[in-house]
Amino acid sequence: MEVIRLPDESTPPEIRNSPRFYPYFKDCVGALDGTHVRASVPLSIQGRFRSRKGGTTQNVLAAITFDLKFAYVLAGWEGSAHDSRILTDALTHPRGFKIPEGKYYLADAGYGIRNGILSPYRGVRYHLKEFSDHRPENAKELFNLRHSSLRTTVERVFEILKKRFHVLDAEPFWDFQTQVNIVLACCVIHNHIMGVDPNDLINEGLYEEHESNLIMSTLTQREEREEAREWAVKRDEIAEAMWTDYITRNINLF
């Protein structure tokens, strides 16, 4: 089950007002990631819901805007489900996760690089703590550092959500559909607390946008591979532009 609000296609001020991120991430509209919420399910299906940490959970996918609000939430997937599989499901729902053409969300490497999803370079330093001792040494490292700095927004929102709604960490005793609904309700309430527009469609769980400028995942595997290559080239172009400016300015902007 999912809730959605219409994406804002303008460059977020958190990017526009930062020389670390602008103009490189000017087409980025948010970040996405998954989080696990405790789940109670019948013994016969507990294996599917068992996460890597051992407990039974539902794997919740969320897209976050940089003002710390939820733009999309898909709850109810088994805790053992791979992140990329859940994202594919979200993108293929008739009223699922839609990304404006030419825009993208930041995601970790587990989601892969695909149309509208920009992930970091694999096998390259990424997490902020890995750069605490020395600066990035090449374009890929600089890209990963700034990607990580921007994508931490989604981790902050998950942390805020779970601290605000302790029910998400409690042992649930409701039926599973109610458990899913509680996750969605907490996300909606969070948006209200953060000052969301009361007319925002996320509050109704509806999405009636049918314009052709929204990315729909209806491609063949060959077409998906080709699009992934195109987005990898786009990532390289961003990284090279970022590195060139970084070297030219010769100052610490990260």
Side-chain angles (χ1 to χ4, degrees):
M1 191 169 182
E2 59 203 338
V3 291
I4 313 140
R5 68 186 175 102
L6 290 169
D8 184 349
E9 297 186 31
S10 61
T11 301
E14 294 82 4
I15 293 176
R16 188 176 61 247
N17 298 330
S18 171
R20 291 185 301 158
F21 305 136
Y22 189 85
Y24 321 108
F25 294 116
K26 61 182 175 62
D27 294 322
C28 179
V29 292
L32 65 86
D33 203 355
T35 189
H36 287 261
V37 175
R38 293 180 68 175
S40 178
V41 295
L43 183 62
S44 59
I45 60 172
Q46 282 185 5
R48 289 161 40 198
F49 283 82
R50 200 166 301 282
S51 69
R52 287 175 295 180
K53 294 184 178 180
T56 54
T57 66
Q58 54 171 306
N59 195 343
V60 180
L61 172 70
I64 308 294
T65 52
F66 296 113
D67 56 355
L68 307 181
K69 299 173 185 174
F70 289 97
Y72 175 87
V73 182
L74 175 60
W77 267 89
E78 302 96 324
S80 64
H82 193 278
D83 290 340
S84 62
R85 182 185 176 195
I86 299 173
L87 177 58
T88 297
D89 178 50
L91 290 169
T92 53
H93 271 201
R95 284 170 32 183
F97 185 34
K98 306 297 187 298
I99 306 172
E101 186 67 38
K103 301 295 183 177
Y104 59 84
Y105 284 82
L106 302 182
D108 68 28
Y111 291 97
I113 190 165
R114 61 172 83 187
N115 195 15
I117 304 297
L118 197 64
S119 59
Y121 290 99
R122 288 182 176 273
V124 179
R125 283 191 295 165
Y126 180 69
H127 297 288
L128 299 181
K129 62 182 179 181
E130 298 180 72
F131 292 92
S132 59
D133 295 334
H134 55 281
R135 301 179 181 184
E137 299 177 351
N138 54 55
K140 291 183 178 181
E141 286 193 352
L142 181 62
F143 176 89
N144 274 15
L145 172 59
R146 294 186 178 173
H147 184 289
S148 178
S149 298
L150 201 51
R151 199 189 66 82
T152 53
T153 299
V154 70
E155 297 172 3
R156 289 172 58 201
V157 172
F158 286 149
E159 182 179 359
I160 292 170
L161 186 75
K162 290 183 177 181
K163 284 185 176 180
R164 177 173 283 154
F165 302 104
H166 296 287
V167 65
L168 298 178
D169 278 330
E171 181 69 32
F173 56 86
W174 311 278
D175 64 84
F176 186 67
Q177 185 57 57
T178 300
Q179 296 172 48
V180 172
N181 290 341
I182 285 174
V183 172
L184 301 180
C186 289
C187 294
V188 170
I189 295 170
H190 166 89
N191 276 13
H192 275 286
I193 294 173
M194 297 300 294
V196 73
D197 182 347
N199 296 316
D200 199 316
L201 294 186
I202 194 171
N203 302 307
E204 301 176 12
L206 299 175
Y207 195 107
E208 301 299 340
E209 181 63 65
H210 299 290
E211 297 299 324
S212 60
N213 65 337
L214 296 177
I215 295 174
M216 296 290 290
S217 182
T218 56
L219 305 176
T220 64
Q221 289 187 350
R222 181 178 179 180
E223 290 171 331
E224 288 178 350
R225 288 194 296 269
E226 180 59 32
E227 284 203 337
R229 284 192 289 268
E230 292 175 0
W231 278 83
V233 170
K234 181 181 180 71
R235 179 176 60 187
D236 289 342
E237 292 172 347
I238 294 173
E240 290 301 327
M242 192 182 290
W243 182 248
T244 298
D245 289 346
Y246 177 78
I247 294 299
T248 300
R249 293 170 184 169
N250 196 29
I251 58 175
N252 182 6
L253 289 180
F254 60 91

